[in-house]
Protein backbone atom coordinates (compact mmCIF):
# COMPACT_ATOMS: atom_id res chain seq x y z
CA UNK A 1 0.00 0.00 0.00
CA UNK A 2 0.91 3.63 -0.34
CA UNK A 3 0.32 5.33 3.01
CA UNK A 4 0.67 9.07 3.57
CA UNK A 5 1.48 10.55 6.98
CA UNK A 6 0.09 14.08 7.22
CA UNK A 7 2.76 15.83 9.25
CA UNK A 8 4.48 19.20 9.10
CA UNK A 9 7.73 17.80 10.48
CA UNK A 10 9.16 14.56 9.03
CA UNK A 11 11.81 14.37 11.81
CA UNK A 12 9.31 14.20 14.70
CA UNK A 13 9.50 10.96 16.69
CA UNK A 14 5.90 9.96 15.92
CA UNK A 15 6.25 10.63 12.18
CA UNK A 16 9.58 8.78 11.97
CA UNK A 17 8.27 5.75 13.87
CA UNK A 18 5.12 5.46 11.74
CA UNK A 19 7.24 5.69 8.57
CA UNK A 20 9.63 2.99 9.87
CA UNK A 21 6.78 0.71 10.99
CA UNK A 22 5.02 0.98 7.63
CA UNK A 23 8.18 0.35 5.60
CA UNK A 24 9.02 -2.65 7.80
CA UNK A 25 5.69 -4.18 6.77
CA UNK A 26 6.38 -3.56 3.09
CA UNK A 27 4.36 -0.39 2.49
CA UNK A 28 5.39 2.72 0.60
CA UNK A 29 5.37 5.53 3.18
CA UNK A 30 5.30 9.23 2.27
CA UNK A 31 5.23 12.27 4.55
CA UNK A 32 3.03 15.13 3.35
CA UNK A 33 2.83 18.58 4.90
CA UNK A 34 -0.95 19.26 5.00
CA UNK A 35 -0.36 23.03 4.88
CA UNK A 36 1.28 22.67 1.46
CA UNK A 37 -1.71 20.87 -0.04
CA UNK A 38 -3.98 22.73 -2.48
CA UNK A 39 -7.53 21.42 -2.60
CA UNK A 40 -9.57 21.34 -5.80
CA UNK A 41 -13.21 20.94 -4.85
CA UNK A 42 -15.36 19.55 -7.65
CA UNK A 43 -18.49 17.46 -7.72
CA UNK A 44 -17.13 14.54 -9.69
CA UNK A 45 -13.39 14.87 -9.25
CA UNK A 46 -12.05 16.20 -5.96
CA UNK A 47 -8.26 16.54 -6.12
CA UNK A 48 -5.29 17.43 -3.94
CA UNK A 49 -2.19 19.07 -5.40
CA UNK A 50 1.09 18.88 -3.50
CA UNK A 51 4.07 20.92 -4.66
CA UNK A 52 2.18 21.50 -7.92
CA UNK A 53 1.59 17.80 -8.61
CA UNK A 54 -1.72 15.91 -8.16
CA UNK A 55 -1.64 13.37 -5.33
CA UNK A 56 -2.70 9.98 -6.68
CA UNK A 57 -2.47 6.33 -5.72
CA UNK A 58 -2.68 6.88 -1.96
CA UNK A 59 -4.51 4.05 -0.18
CA UNK A 60 -4.59 5.46 3.36
CA UNK A 61 -3.60 8.49 5.41
CA UNK A 62 -2.45 8.90 9.02
CA UNK A 63 -3.32 12.46 10.10
CA UNK A 64 -0.86 13.99 12.57
CA UNK A 65 -2.57 17.38 12.68
CA UNK A 66 -1.30 19.82 15.31
CA UNK A 67 -3.83 21.85 17.30
CA UNK A 68 -2.65 25.14 15.77
CA UNK A 69 -3.51 23.97 12.22
CA UNK A 70 -6.76 22.14 12.96
CA UNK A 71 -8.86 24.17 10.50
CA UNK A 72 -6.76 23.64 7.38
CA UNK A 73 -5.51 20.20 8.44
CA UNK A 74 -9.08 18.97 8.84
CA UNK A 75 -10.02 20.35 5.43
CA UNK A 76 -7.19 18.28 3.90
CA UNK A 77 -8.37 15.11 5.73
CA UNK A 78 -11.93 15.79 4.50
CA UNK A 79 -10.67 16.13 0.93
CA UNK A 80 -8.93 12.74 1.15
CA UNK A 81 -12.21 11.29 2.45
CA UNK A 82 -14.00 12.77 -0.59
CA UNK A 83 -11.40 10.97 -2.72
CA UNK A 84 -12.36 7.69 -0.96
CA UNK A 85 -8.99 7.38 0.82
CA UNK A 86 -9.04 5.57 4.18
CA UNK A 87 -8.04 7.70 7.19
CA UNK A 88 -7.07 6.54 10.69
CA UNK A 89 -8.77 9.65 12.10
CA UNK A 90 -11.94 10.90 10.43
CA UNK A 91 -12.30 14.63 9.87
CA UNK A 92 -15.52 14.89 11.86
CA UNK A 93 -14.00 13.12 14.88
CA UNK A 94 -10.92 15.33 14.64
CA UNK A 95 -13.01 18.50 14.83
CA UNK A 96 -15.17 17.09 17.62
CA UNK A 97 -12.21 16.11 19.80
CA UNK A 98 -10.38 19.42 19.28
CA UNK A 99 -13.34 21.39 20.63
CA UNK A 100 -12.78 20.79 24.35
CA UNK A 101 -16.22 22.03 25.36
CA UNK A 102 -18.09 20.06 22.70
CA UNK A 103 -16.18 16.87 23.44
CA UNK A 104 -16.91 17.18 27.18
CA UNK A 105 -20.60 17.65 26.45
CA UNK A 106 -20.60 14.58 24.17
CA UNK A 107 -18.80 12.51 26.83
CA UNK A 108 -21.08 13.70 29.64
CA UNK A 109 -24.17 12.86 27.58
CA UNK A 110 -22.78 9.34 27.10
CA UNK A 111 -22.40 8.93 30.85
CA UNK A 112 -18.60 9.15 30.97
CA UNK A 113 -17.13 10.41 34.28
CA UNK A 114 -15.59 13.90 34.10
CA UNK A 115 -14.30 16.43 36.62
CA UNK A 116 -17.14 18.86 37.47
CA UNK A 117 -16.80 21.63 34.86
CA UNK A 118 -18.31 25.11 34.44
CA UNK A 119 -18.29 27.23 31.28
CA UNK A 120 -19.90 30.66 31.15
CA UNK A 121 -20.24 33.52 28.71
CA UNK A 122 -17.85 35.87 30.53
CA UNK A 123 -19.94 35.83 33.73
CA UNK A 124 -19.20 38.72 36.08
CA UNK A 125 -20.09 36.57 39.08
CA UNK A 126 -16.77 34.71 39.19
CA UNK A 127 -17.20 33.67 42.83
CA UNK A 128 -20.41 31.77 41.99
CA UNK A 129 -18.60 30.01 39.10
CA UNK A 130 -15.84 28.86 41.47
CA UNK A 131 -18.38 27.62 44.03
CA UNK A 132 -20.13 25.51 41.36
CA UNK A 133 -17.01 23.29 41.03
CA UNK A 134 -16.67 22.95 44.81
CA UNK A 135 -14.61 26.07 45.50
CA UNK A 136 -10.82 26.47 45.57
CA UNK A 137 -8.45 24.93 44.78
CA UNK A 138 -9.73 24.62 41.22
CA UNK A 139 -8.35 24.30 37.71
CA UNK A 140 -8.78 27.05 35.12
CA UNK A 141 -8.12 26.02 31.49
CA UNK A 142 -7.95 27.95 28.26
CA UNK A 143 -10.22 26.17 25.76
CA UNK A 144 -7.49 26.38 23.11
CA UNK A 145 -4.56 25.27 25.27
CA UNK A 146 -2.43 22.17 24.53
CA UNK A 147 0.40 20.29 26.25
CA UNK A 148 -0.42 21.89 29.58
CA UNK A 149 -0.16 25.48 28.28
CA UNK A 150 -2.97 27.70 29.55
CA UNK A 151 -3.80 25.42 32.52
CA UNK A 152 -3.70 27.07 35.94
CA UNK A 153 -4.18 25.68 39.43
CA UNK A 154 -5.81 28.40 41.54
CA UNK A 155 -5.15 27.43 45.14
CA UNK A 156 -7.38 30.02 46.83
CA UNK A 157 -10.70 31.63 46.01
CA UNK A 158 -9.07 35.07 45.63
CA UNK A 159 -6.43 33.64 43.24
CA UNK A 160 -9.14 31.90 41.20
CA UNK A 161 -11.20 35.09 41.05
CA UNK A 162 -8.16 37.14 39.92
CA UNK A 163 -7.22 34.65 37.19
CA UNK A 164 -10.80 34.38 35.93
CA UNK A 165 -11.23 38.17 35.89
CA UNK A 166 -7.97 38.53 33.96
CA UNK A 167 -8.97 35.95 31.34
CA UNK A 168 -12.46 37.48 31.05
CA UNK A 169 -10.89 40.90 30.50
CA UNK A 170 -8.84 39.46 27.63
CA UNK A 171 -12.02 37.90 26.16
CA UNK A 172 -10.36 34.48 26.49
CA UNK A 173 -12.64 31.44 26.62
CA UNK A 174 -11.95 29.34 29.70
CA UNK A 175 -13.47 26.45 31.61
CA UNK A 176 -13.30 26.01 35.37
CA UNK A 177 -12.91 22.48 36.74
CA UNK A 178 -12.83 20.83 40.13
CA UNK A 179 -9.35 19.91 41.35
CA UNK A 180 -8.94 16.16 41.87
CA UNK A 181 -6.53 16.31 44.81
CA UNK A 182 -6.21 12.54 45.25
CA UNK A 183 -4.65 12.23 41.75
CA UNK A 184 -1.47 13.71 43.33
CA UNK A 185 -0.31 15.47 40.15
CA UNK A 186 -0.51 12.32 38.05
CA UNK A 187 -2.74 11.16 35.24
CA UNK A 188 -3.11 8.10 33.05
CA UNK A 189 -2.98 7.95 29.27
CA UNK A 190 -4.54 4.95 27.59
CA UNK A 191 -3.60 4.61 23.92
CA UNK A 192 -6.51 3.23 21.89
CA UNK A 193 -6.16 1.75 18.39
CA UNK A 194 -9.21 0.29 16.65
CA UNK A 195 -11.18 -0.43 19.81
CA UNK A 196 -8.24 -1.96 21.72
CA UNK A 197 -5.96 -0.42 24.37
CA UNK A 198 -2.46 -1.06 23.02
CA UNK A 199 -0.64 0.58 25.92
CA UNK A 200 -1.18 2.64 29.05
CA UNK A 201 1.14 4.83 31.08
CA UNK A 202 0.99 6.85 34.27
CA UNK A 203 2.40 10.35 33.93
CA UNK A 204 3.64 12.07 37.08
CA UNK A 205 4.24 15.82 37.27
CA UNK A 206 7.63 16.93 38.53
CA UNK A 207 7.93 18.07 42.15
CA UNK A 208 5.58 20.97 42.87
CA UNK A 209 3.91 20.72 39.44
CA UNK A 210 0.27 19.65 39.19
CA UNK A 211 0.45 19.18 35.39
CA UNK A 212 1.78 15.79 34.38
CA UNK A 213 2.53 16.59 30.71
CA UNK A 214 5.83 15.07 29.57
CA UNK A 215 6.50 18.36 27.71
CA UNK A 216 6.55 20.04 31.13
CA UNK A 217 9.14 17.74 32.67
CA UNK A 218 6.79 14.98 33.83
CA UNK A 219 7.86 11.33 33.92
CA UNK A 220 6.06 8.27 32.59
CA UNK A 221 5.89 4.63 33.57
CA UNK A 222 3.85 1.63 32.45
CA UNK A 223 0.63 1.16 34.40
CA UNK A 224 -1.95 -1.61 34.81
CA UNK A 225 -5.45 -0.30 34.13
CA UNK A 226 -8.43 -1.42 36.16
CA UNK A 227 -11.34 -2.92 34.25
CA UNK A 228 -13.34 0.25 34.88
CA UNK A 229 -10.52 2.42 33.48
CA UNK A 230 -10.26 0.22 30.38
CA UNK A 231 -14.01 0.43 29.77
CA UNK A 232 -14.10 4.20 30.27
CA UNK A 233 -11.14 4.80 27.93
CA UNK A 234 -12.64 2.63 25.17
CA UNK A 235 -16.06 4.23 25.59
CA UNK A 236 -14.61 7.77 25.43
CA UNK A 237 -12.77 7.03 22.17
CA UNK A 238 -15.84 5.29 20.71
CA UNK A 239 -18.27 8.08 21.66
CA UNK A 240 -16.03 10.68 19.99
CA UNK A 241 -15.64 8.48 16.90
CA UNK A 242 -11.86 8.14 17.27
CA UNK A 243 -10.20 4.90 16.14
CA UNK A 244 -6.78 6.19 17.22
CA UNK A 245 -6.77 8.20 20.45
CA UNK A 246 -4.88 9.06 23.59
CA UNK A 247 -7.40 9.06 26.43
CA UNK A 248 -6.22 11.06 29.45
CA UNK A 249 -7.87 10.38 32.80
CA UNK A 250 -7.43 10.99 36.51
CA UNK A 251 -7.82 8.41 39.27
CA UNK A 252 -10.35 9.88 41.69
CA UNK A 253 -12.11 8.56 44.79
CA UNK A 254 -15.22 8.27 42.59
CA UNK A 255 -13.67 6.29 39.73
CA UNK A 256 -11.82 7.44 36.59
CA UNK A 257 -12.45 10.99 35.37
CA UNK A 258 -11.73 11.78 31.72
CA UNK A 259 -9.77 14.99 31.19
CA UNK A 260 -9.23 14.91 27.45
CA UNK A 261 -9.30 12.64 24.43
CA UNK A 262 -6.44 13.43 22.06
CA UNK A 263 -6.91 12.71 18.35
CA UNK A 264 -3.21 13.10 17.51
CA UNK A 265 -1.42 11.55 20.51
CA UNK A 266 2.37 11.43 20.49
CA UNK A 267 4.03 8.00 20.31
CA UNK A 268 7.31 8.73 22.08
CA UNK A 269 6.08 8.77 25.69
CA UNK A 270 3.84 5.72 25.37
CA UNK A 271 6.36 3.61 23.39
CA UNK A 272 9.22 4.36 25.78
CA UNK A 273 7.14 3.82 28.93
CA UNK A 274 5.47 0.60 27.79
CA UNK A 275 8.05 -0.75 25.30
CA UNK A 276 5.10 -1.53 23.02
CA UNK A 277 5.25 -1.01 19.25
CA UNK A 278 2.31 1.39 18.99
CA UNK A 279 3.31 2.55 15.49
CA UNK A 280 3.02 -1.04 14.25
CA UNK A 281 -0.46 -1.33 15.83
CA UNK A 282 -1.57 1.72 13.79
CA UNK A 283 -0.17 0.23 10.55
CA UNK A 284 -1.88 -3.11 11.31
CA UNK A 285 -5.14 -1.21 11.84
CA UNK A 286 -4.84 0.22 8.31
CA UNK A 287 -4.08 -3.23 6.89
CA UNK A 288 -7.24 -4.68 8.46
CA UNK A 289 -9.47 -1.99 6.93
CA UNK A 290 -7.99 -1.36 3.48
CA UNK A 291 -8.29 -4.01 0.80
Amino acid sequence: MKIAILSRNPSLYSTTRLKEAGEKRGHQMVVINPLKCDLVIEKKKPQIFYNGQPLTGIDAIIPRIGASVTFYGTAVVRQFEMMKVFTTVESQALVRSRDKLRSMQVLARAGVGLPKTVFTNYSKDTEAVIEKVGGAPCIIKLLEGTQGVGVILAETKSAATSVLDAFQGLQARVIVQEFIKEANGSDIRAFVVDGVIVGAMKRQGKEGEFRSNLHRGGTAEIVELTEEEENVALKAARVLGLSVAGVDMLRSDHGPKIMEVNSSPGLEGIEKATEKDVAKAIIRYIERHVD
Side-chain angles (χ1 to χ4, degrees), residues 1-279:
M1 276 191 280
K2 186 177 181 182
I3 302 171
I5 305 163
L6 302 187
S7 171
R8 292 159 69 200
N9 186 348
S11 60
L12 282 177
Y13 179 93
S14 300
T15 309
T16 307
R17 281 288 297 115
L18 286 163
K19 191 168 184 289
E20 280 172 4
E23 286 171 348
K24 215 176 201 177
R25 294 190 60 79
H27 304 298
Q28 183 187 348
M29 304 297 293
V30 291
V31 180
I32 290 169
N33 182 342
L35 300 190
K36 292 189 175 170
C37 290
D38 297 323
L39 314 180
V40 179
I41 301 159
E42 266 186 283
K43 185 171 68 174
K44 299 273 192 205
K45 200 185 172 193
Q47 282 181 290
I48 298 175
F49 282 80
Y50 188 63
N51 293 332
Q53 298 297 315
L55 278 177
T56 55
I58 291 173
D59 300 294
I61 58 168
I62 305 172
R64 303 287 311 166
I65 307 294
S68 61
V69 296
T70 299
F71 176 77
Y72 199 78
T74 306
V76 173
V77 175
R78 202 180 298 121
Q79 189 80 356
F80 273 111
E81 288 170 342
M82 289 163 63
M83 292 161 63
K84 303 289 189 286
V85 174
F86 178 80
T87 174
T88 56
V89 181
E90 292 180 1
S91 58
Q92 207 44 42
L94 182 56
V95 171
R96 198 183 294 119
S97 67
R98 281 287 156 80
D99 183 335
K100 278 195 182 116
L101 189 63
R102 181 181 175 189
S103 61
M104 290 184 81
Q105 288 173 319
V106 170
L107 291 168
R109 187 172 62 198
V112 173
L114 304 162
K116 192 180 279 189
T117 303
V118 175
F119 178 69
T120 77
N121 191 39
Y122 307 122
S123 167
K124 295 285 183 280
D125 193 357
T126 46
E127 285 197 16
V129 170
I130 294 156
E131 284 307 314
K132 284 188 179 82
V133 298
C138 61
I139 304 290
I140 299 170
K141 286 184 186 176
L142 273 175
L143 275 180
E144 275 80 37
T146 59
Q147 295 175 351
V149 177
V151 181
I152 294 160
L153 169 61
E155 304 218 20
T156 64
K157 189 192 263 190
S158 61
T161 304
S162 301
V163 170
L164 265 180
D165 287 342
F167 276 138
Q168 312 273 41
L170 293 168
Q171 297 281 287
R173 293 282 186 194
V174 295
I175 53 176
V176 183
Q177 284 186 327
E178 69 172 314
F179 177 54
I180 310 291
K181 187 181 178 189
E182 59 269 28
N184 292 320
S186 72
D187 74 0
I188 287 168
R189 167 162 288 185
F191 206 109
V192 178
V193 179
D194 198 18
V196 175
I197 294 171
V198 295
M201 63 178 172
K202 182 180 181 183
R203 302 181 297 189
Q204 181 72 49
K206 62 183 181 184
E207 190 68 37
E209 173 62 79
F210 74 97
R211 292 168 296 186
S212 57
N213 304 70
L214 301 184
H215 292 272
R216 315 210 69 77
T219 56
E221 62 183 23
I222 191 167
V223 71
E224 186 82 30
L225 296 182
T226 66
E227 193 174 338
E228 187 182 10
E229 286 163 350
E230 281 188 19
N231 291 339
V232 164
L234 292 173
K235 184 175 185 179
R238 188 173 67 249
V239 163
L240 290 173
L242 290 168
S243 298
V244 176
V247 182
D248 297 341
M249 54 189 152
L250 298 172
R251 282 180 165 164
S252 84
D253 291 341
H254 309 288
K257 304 277 188 186
I258 298 287
M259 286 194 308
E260 192 175 355
V261 183
N262 195 318
S263 55
S264 193
L267 302 188
E268 187 169 11
I270 195 82
E271 287 200 335
K272 288 184 175 173
T274 63
E275 297 184 351
K276 298 267 180 72
D277 193 340
V278 178

